[in-house]
């Protein structure tokens, strides 16, 4: 409980199923500040977690919650004293946002294809350790901006319906 | 098959994974594309992503590369593509710390921040704040204020979070935004609420009253955001702890009522936060705890691993503080022993070990041994710590536990893990005489095949210390001598020392030892040969009295202070002899078995253990004229001379020298509108003491810890050194502007502030020593140079022997020997042996015979080289 109690997230990370980092962010200057430490930590973390899917582990003084899908592993790290459920809510937000962005096909190939959007999502979920947003739908609304580019003719029926619904909602709210 | 799979994978990834094998220089080359007009958004996004990906993979950009890249990026502001713009913001944030002249983009960002496009605004604010410094902040302050209260939640959040970031560098500017933050607090959006609370708290956190007002207001309304609620619980707890509300009032306090009401919140994370908070509060009673424990109990059987983990971690942590309450969850914990999540299982078992009854120890140990091989070293350490706590609690179970530990010792494991086991065994040996023999033989077995030099050396030292007094000392000699034949020089040297201990303490074995030491003189290593020769000569002298000083009781001076004293000696008059007895002894470091067996093994190295004396010696060395006092004898722990909630707080540390005492006053000014000057503490001296000087503290600004000293000379006779000092804080007050801390005017006025009285006690003047063999020292003190004082007392205030022993040790400040500080259960008589050195290096040995009757009868015998000192010590008990 240091600083101003807001720096809850110590790090977030996505790895592939060989333990290679796809994206990783560490927010605390005092924890895992060098690349060497980070890589060592990630290796250790991956070895301890890739076989058993048990959601939470304590490692090197950090509480890590994690989740895996097909060929990807998602991790959120917090201090050992942190409320584990808050960390879990952030992990869920990270995973669900990516799932929404990739239309439920959460796998490495698609993550890499949409890496810029995933990077933006990282940035919208956590700003330097402070939880910025934990609601996947609002995160996705802010980062998945590509739909606008697709001409109406190429949109799926669902997308058209979705945007129609959005427009209707806004016209009512105004 | 494997290669086939890999081929297939490569085929699949091949075209799509554009991020494999990226080359930093070529990617940076590609940034030239940014200059093309019109901007090709798709292509630029891709290049930017590649750069960010490289940085994320740990590629380092030098300042030049970063700056070039940064400036190329600024061209992209021309494009209207939303994703591209957002990636540019991301790039700005990543590069802002490396590139130079980043403030060039300020105007572009300010434009985006105040523009119409909501999708830009929020992100632009955060990017802007990453490049803004203190001076630039004034320019954007107006916009920030507007953004904080913006009706778009994303914009408001971004502004609030950025303000929090800025607060660390530009606290005074951010403070002015409190009203806006207050307004944002009323937002319907849960994240805005959370961030606004964070900012408000940060602005007000140094002002207790304002925080308490804030909390009171918020606890009445219900916060929608679970994150804000969690934070409010933490703030409330902090207030409760600071106010130190006694337990009978706590249950009615609005703060506690709020925390308790959170147990019924609809979000699990708030419920857990509240339960966690309540069980960790200090002044609680069982009635207040029970709802919180029921919640944790419920979580134990949750299907979610994280919930189970959270609950059992919390229970584990408070197992020592609330054993009874944790026991009610035992049934649930038992269910978790076989949990698929090994972390949960380990925590459950160690919790059970901590609270479990003596009868269940065997069963639990069996359970652990089934999976101890599977868990990580970190958790093994947790298990070992739990066993260690258990040994202290149930000394009779030592055989089971010792066997378990030795089997763990034989398994594979890292140094840290092995060290913790050896530590535990050593603690058991030291605390439990019955376990000594079996413990020593387990350790002997271990060093037969031990790859860690540091552990081997420690164990050899222990064998040398304890072995000679075991039933059959001769059996250890084989183990020790094996080391001389087989190991590295460091271990061989330690083994030689251990052998010499046997030679000095067991006359029967001396002949054999001399033969062995003789062989060691052929050793190829210098240190080993030197030690062997040294010990051979001493043992050959056949004067048991010099064995004591040169083999058995080696002075363990604090090395840092010894070095300092020697340097001073060499710089001073060389005609006097150097007196080693004035050097403070190295602290008897007793490893604290932490009750909160956390799973945290910090990877950061622990700070080296330095004694208080070494720490203060470095500090005091800066005081003028301090050298003439000689080396420091002892520094006391710091004591409060004020209540903690007053305008000025003062803490005092007493540094005792041979003839002087230096009072160190650490002062804190808690009034933001005052600037103090010439701060000093005036003492009312009791008879016999004479003032030697005062070192005032010239300036004491708000919230800065500063120090002033007062130096006093002890009275010539030790008898009148026990006294009470009156103390007053004197200073010149100048009013100042709370924001800048600058005094309003040159004029100030004198003021004073009464402090609590100070005392010099016997314990202050005595430094603990630890005699490995008290009896030898005691017998040796029965000579001409030593004087003895004896007296008999009836202690009516205490009812048990253990209490009496504890209070004697506390009053006299001596170090107990031969485990005599522990009174065995069920006896009516006990002898406490302890020793120390009085200031000036005067040795003190005390034997206290205690008998339990109506109260406790005490016969105290003090031997010392100084009559006065012996009398002072006896008088201190009365």
């Amino acid at each position: 409980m240091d600083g101003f109690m807001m720096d809850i997230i110590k790090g977030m990370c996505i790895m592939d199923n060989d333990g290679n980092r796809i994206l990783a962010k560490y927010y605390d200057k005092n924890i895992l500040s060098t690349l060497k430490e980070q890589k060592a930590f990630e290796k250790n973390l991956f070895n301890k977690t890739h076989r058993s899917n048990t959601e939470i582990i304590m490692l090197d003084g950090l509480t890590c919650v994690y989740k895996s899908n097909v060929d990807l592993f998602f991790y959120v790290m917090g201090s050992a004293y942190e409320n584990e459920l808050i960390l879990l809510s952030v992990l869920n937000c990270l995973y669900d946002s990516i799932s929404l962005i990739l239309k439920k096909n959460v796998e490495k190939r698609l993550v890499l294809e949409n890496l810029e959007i995933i990077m933006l999502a990282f940035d919208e979920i956590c700003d330097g350790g402070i939880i910025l947003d934990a609601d996947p739908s609002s995160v996705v609304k802010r980062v998945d901006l590509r739909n606008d580019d697709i001409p109406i003719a190429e949109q799926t029926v669902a997308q058209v319906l979705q945007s129609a619904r959005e427009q209707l909602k806004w016209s009512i709210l105004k | 098959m494997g290669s086939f799979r890999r081929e297939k994978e490569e085929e699949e990834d091949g075209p799509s994974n554009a991020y494999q094998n990226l080359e930093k220089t070529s990617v940076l080359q590609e940034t030239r594309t940014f200059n093309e007009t019109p901007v090709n958004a798709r292509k630029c996004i891709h290049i930017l992503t590649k750069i960010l990906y490289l940085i994320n993979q740990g590629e380092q950009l030098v300042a030049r590369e970063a700056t070039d890249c940064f400036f190329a990026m600024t061209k992209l502001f021309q494009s209207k593509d939303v994703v591209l713009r957002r990636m540019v913001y991301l790039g700005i944030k990543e590069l802002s710390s490396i590139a130079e002249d980043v403030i060039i983009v300020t105007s572009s960002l300010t434009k985006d921040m105040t523009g119409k496009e909501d999708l830009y605004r929020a992100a632009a604010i955060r990017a802007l704040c990453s490049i803004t410094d203190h001076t630039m902040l004034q320019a954007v302050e107006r916009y920030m204020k507007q953004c904080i209260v913006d009706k778009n939640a994303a914009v408001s959040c971004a502004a609030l979070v950025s303000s929090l970031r800025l607060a660390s560098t530009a606290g005074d500017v951010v403070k002015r935004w409190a009203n806006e933050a207050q307004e944002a607090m009323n937002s319907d959006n849960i994240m805005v609420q959370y961030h606004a609370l964070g900012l408000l708290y940060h602005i007000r956190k140094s002002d207790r009253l304002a925080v308490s007002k804030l909390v009171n207001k918020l606890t009445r309304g219900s916060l929608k955001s679970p994150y804000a609620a969690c934070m409010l619980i933490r703030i409330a707890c902090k207030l409760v702890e600071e106010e130190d509300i006694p337990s009978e009032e706590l249950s009615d306090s609005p703060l506690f009522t709020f925390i308790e009401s959170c147990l019924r919140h609809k979000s699990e994370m708030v419920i857990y936060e509240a339960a966690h908070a309540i069980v960790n509060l200090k002044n609680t009673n069982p009635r207040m705890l029970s709802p919180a424990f029921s919640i944790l109990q419920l979580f134990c059987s949750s299907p979610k691993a994280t919930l189970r983990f959270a609950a059992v971690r919390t229970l584990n942590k408070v197992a020592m503080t609330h054993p009874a309450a944790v026991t009610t969850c035992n049934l649930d914990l038992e269910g978790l022993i076989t949990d698929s999540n090994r972390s949960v299982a380990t925590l459950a078992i160690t919790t059970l070990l901590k609270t479990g009854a003596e009868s269940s120890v065997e069963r639990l140990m069996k359970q652990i041994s089934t999976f101890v091989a599977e868990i990580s070293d970190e958790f093994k350490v947790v298990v070992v710590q739990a066993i260690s706590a258990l040994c202290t609690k149930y000394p009779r179970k030592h055989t089971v536990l010792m066997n378990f530990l030795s089997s763990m010792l034989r398994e594979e494991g890292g140094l840290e893990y092995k060290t913790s086991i050896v530590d535990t065994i050593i603690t058991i040996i030291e605390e439990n005489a019955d376990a000594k023999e079996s413990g020593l033989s387990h350790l002997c077995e271990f060093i037969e095949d031990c790859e860690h030099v540091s552990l081997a050396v420690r164990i050899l030292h222990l064998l040398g210390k304890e072995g000679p007094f075991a039933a059959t000392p001769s059996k250890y000699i084989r183990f020790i001598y094996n080391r001389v034949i087989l190991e590295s020089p460091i271990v061989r040297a330690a083994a030689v020392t251990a052998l010499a201990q046997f030679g000095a303490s067991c006359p029967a074995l001396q002949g054999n030892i001399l033969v062995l030491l003789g062989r060691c003189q052929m050793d190829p290593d210098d240190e080993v040969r030197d030690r062997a020769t040294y010990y051979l000569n001493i043992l050959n002298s056949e004067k048991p009295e010099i064995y004591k000083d040169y083999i058995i009781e080696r002075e363990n001076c604090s090395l840092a202070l010894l070095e300092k004293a020697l340097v001073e000696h060499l710089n001073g008059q060389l005609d006097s002899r150097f007196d080693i007895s004035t050097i403070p002894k190295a602290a008897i470091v007793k490893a604290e078995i932490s009750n909160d067996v956390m799973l945290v093994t910090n990877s950061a190295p622990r700070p080296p253990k330095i004694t208080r004396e070494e720490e203060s010696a470095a500090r005091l060395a800066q005081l003028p004229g301090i050298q003439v006092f000689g080396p420091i004898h002892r520094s006391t722990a710091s004591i409060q001379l004020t209540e903690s909630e007053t305008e000025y707080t003062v803490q005092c540390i007493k540094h005792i020298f041979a003839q002087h005492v230096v009072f160190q006053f650490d002062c804190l000014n808690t009034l933001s509108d005052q600037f103090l000057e010439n701060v000093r503490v005036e003492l009312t001296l009791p008879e016999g003491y004479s003032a030697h000087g005062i070192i005032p503290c010239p300036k004491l600004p708000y919230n800065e810890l500063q120090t002033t000293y007062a130096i006093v000379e002890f009275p010539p006779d030790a008898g009148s050194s026990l006294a009470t000092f009156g103390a007053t804080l004197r200073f010149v007050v100048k009013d100042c502007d709370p924001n800048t801390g600058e005094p309003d005017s040159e004029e100030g006025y004198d003021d004073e502030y009464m402090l609590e009285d100070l005392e010099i006690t016997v314990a202050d003047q005595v430094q603990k020593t630890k005699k490995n063999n008290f009896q030898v020292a005691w017998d040796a003190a029965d000579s001409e140079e030593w004087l003895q004082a004896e007296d008999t007392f009836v202690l009516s205030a205490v009812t048990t022997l253990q209490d009496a022993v504890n209070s004697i040790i506390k009053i006299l400040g001596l170090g107990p020997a031969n485990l005599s500080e522990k009174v065995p259960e069920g006896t009516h008589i006990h002898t406490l042996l302890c020793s120390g050195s009085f200031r000036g290096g005067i040795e003190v040995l005390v034997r206290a015979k205690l008998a339990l009757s109506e109260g406790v009868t005490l016969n105290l015998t003090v031997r010392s080289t100084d009559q006065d000192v012996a009398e002072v010590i006896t008088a201190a008990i009365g």
Side-chain angles (χ1 to χ4, degrees), chain B residues 380-401:
Chain B
K380 285 182 189 164
V381 173
V382 175
V383 172
V384 172
Q385 284 168 341
I387 294 176
S388 166
L390 211 56
C391 290
T392 326
K393 207 161 127 201
Y394 302 122
R396 268 181 294 173
K397 284 284 167 209
H398 69 85
T399 28
V400 183
L401 300 169

Coordinates of all heavy atoms in Angstrom, one line a residue, chain B residues 380-401:
Chain B
K380 N 8.3 -24.2 -0.7 CA 9.0 -25.1 0.2 C 9.5 -24.3 1.4 O 9.5 -24.7 2.6 CB 10.2 -25.8 -0.4 CG 9.8 -26.9 -1.4 CD 11.0 -27.6 -2.0 CE 10.5 -28.6 -3.0 NZ 11.6 -29.0 -3.9
V381 N 10.0 -23.1 1.1 CA 10.5 -22.2 2.2 C 9.4 -21.9 3.1 O 9.5 -21.9 4.3 CB 11.2 -20.9 1.6 CG1 11.5 -20.0 2.7 CG2 12.4 -21.3 0.8
V382 N 8.2 -21.6 2.5 CA 7.0 -21.4 3.4 C 6.7 -22.5 4.3 O 6.5 -22.4 5.5 CB 5.8 -21.1 2.5 CG1 4.6 -20.9 3.4 CG2 6.0 -19.9 1.7
V383 N 6.8 -23.7 3.7 CA 6.6 -24.9 4.6 C 7.6 -25.0 5.7 O 7.3 -25.3 6.8 CB 6.6 -26.2 3.7 CG1 6.6 -27.4 4.5 CG2 5.5 -26.2 2.7
V384 N 8.9 -24.8 5.3 CA 9.9 -24.9 6.4 C 9.7 -23.8 7.5 O 9.8 -24.2 8.7 CB 11.3 -24.6 5.7 CG1 12.4 -24.5 6.8 CG2 11.6 -25.7 4.8
Q385 N 9.3 -22.6 7.1 CA 9.0 -21.6 8.1 C 7.8 -22.0 9.0 O 7.9 -21.8 10.2 CB 8.7 -20.3 7.5 CG 9.9 -19.6 6.9 CD 9.6 -18.4 6.0 OE1 8.5 -18.3 5.5 NE2 10.6 -17.6 5.8
A386 N 6.8 -22.7 8.4 CA 5.7 -23.1 9.2 C 6.2 -24.2 10.2 O 5.8 -24.2 11.4 CB 4.6 -23.7 8.3
I387 N 7.1 -25.1 9.7 CA 7.6 -26.1 10.6 C 8.4 -25.5 11.8 O 8.3 -25.9 12.9 CB 8.5 -27.1 9.8 CG1 7.6 -27.9 8.8 CG2 9.2 -28.1 10.8 CD1 8.3 -28.8 7.9
S388 N 9.1 -24.5 11.4 CA 9.9 -23.8 12.4 C 9.1 -23.2 13.5 O 9.4 -23.3 14.7 CB 10.8 -22.7 11.7 OG 11.3 -21.9 12.6
A389 N 8.0 -22.6 13.1 CA 7.0 -22.0 14.1 C 6.4 -23.1 14.9 O 6.3 -23.0 16.1 CB 5.9 -21.3 13.4
L390 N 6.2 -24.3 14.3 CA 5.6 -25.4 15.0 C 6.5 -25.9 16.1 O 6.1 -26.3 17.2 CB 5.3 -26.5 13.9 CG 4.2 -27.4 14.2 CD1 2.9 -26.6 14.3 CD2 4.1 -28.4 13.0
C391 N 7.8 -26.0 15.7 CA 8.8 -26.5 16.7 C 8.8 -25.7 18.0 O 9.0 -26.2 19.1 CB 10.2 -26.5 16.1 SG 10.4 -27.6 14.8
T392 N 8.7 -24.3 17.8 CA 8.7 -23.5 18.9 C 7.5 -23.7 19.8 O 7.5 -23.7 21.0 CB 8.7 -22.0 18.5 OG1 9.5 -21.9 17.3 CG2 9.3 -21.1 19.5
K393 N 6.4 -24.0 19.0 CA 5.1 -24.2 19.7 C 5.0 -25.6 20.4 O 4.6 -25.7 21.6 CB 4.0 -24.1 18.7 CG 2.7 -23.6 19.3 CD 1.8 -23.0 18.2 CE 0.4 -23.7 18.2 NZ -0.3 -23.6 17.0
Y394 N 5.4 -26.6 19.8 CA 5.3 -27.9 20.3 C 6.7 -28.6 20.4 O 7.1 -29.4 19.6 CB 4.4 -28.8 19.5 CG 3.0 -28.3 19.3 CD1 2.5 -28.1 18.1 CD2 2.2 -28.1 20.4 CE1 1.3 -27.6 17.9 CE2 1.0 -27.6 20.3 CZ 0.5 -27.3 19.0 OH -0.8 -26.8 18.8
P395 N 7.5 -28.2 21.4 CA 8.9 -28.7 21.5 C 8.9 -30.2 21.5 O 9.9 -30.8 21.1 CB 9.4 -28.1 22.8 CG 8.4 -27.2 23.3 CD 7.2 -27.3 22.5
R396 N 7.8 -30.8 22.0 CA 7.9 -32.3 22.2 C 7.8 -33.0 20.9 O 8.1 -34.2 20.8 CB 6.7 -32.7 23.1 CG 7.1 -32.8 24.5 CD 5.9 -33.3 25.3 NE 4.9 -32.3 25.3 CZ 3.7 -32.4 25.8 NH1 3.4 -33.6 26.4 NH2 2.8 -31.5 25.8
K397 N 7.4 -32.3 19.8 CA 7.2 -33.0 18.5 C 8.5 -32.9 17.7 O 8.5 -33.2 16.5 CB 6.1 -32.3 17.7 CG 4.7 -32.6 18.2 CD 4.3 -34.0 17.7 CE 3.1 -34.4 18.4 NZ 3.0 -35.9 18.6
H398 N 9.6 -32.6 18.4 CA 10.8 -32.3 17.6 C 11.3 -33.5 16.8 O 11.9 -33.3 15.7 CB 11.9 -31.7 18.5 CG 12.5 -32.7 19.5 ND1 13.5 -33.6 19.1 CD2 12.2 -33.0 20.8 CE1 13.8 -34.3 20.2 NE2 13.0 -34.0 21.2
T399 N 11.1 -34.7 17.3 CA 11.6 -35.9 16.5 C 10.9 -36.0 15.1 O 11.6 -36.1 14.1 CB 11.4 -37.2 17.3 OG1 10.3 -37.1 18.1 CG2 12.6 -37.6 18.0
V400 N 9.6 -35.9 15.1 CA 8.9 -35.9 13.9 C 9.4 -34.9 12.9 O 9.7 -35.1 11.7 CB 7.4 -35.7 14.1 CG1 6.6 -35.9 12.8 CG2 6.9 -36.7 15.1
L401 N 9.4 -33.6 13.5 CA 9.8 -32.5 12.6 C 11.2 -32.6 12.2 O 11.5 -32.3 11.0 CB 9.5 -31.2 13.4 CG 8.0 -31.1 13.8 CD1 7.9 -29.9 14.8 CD2 7.2 -30.8 12.6

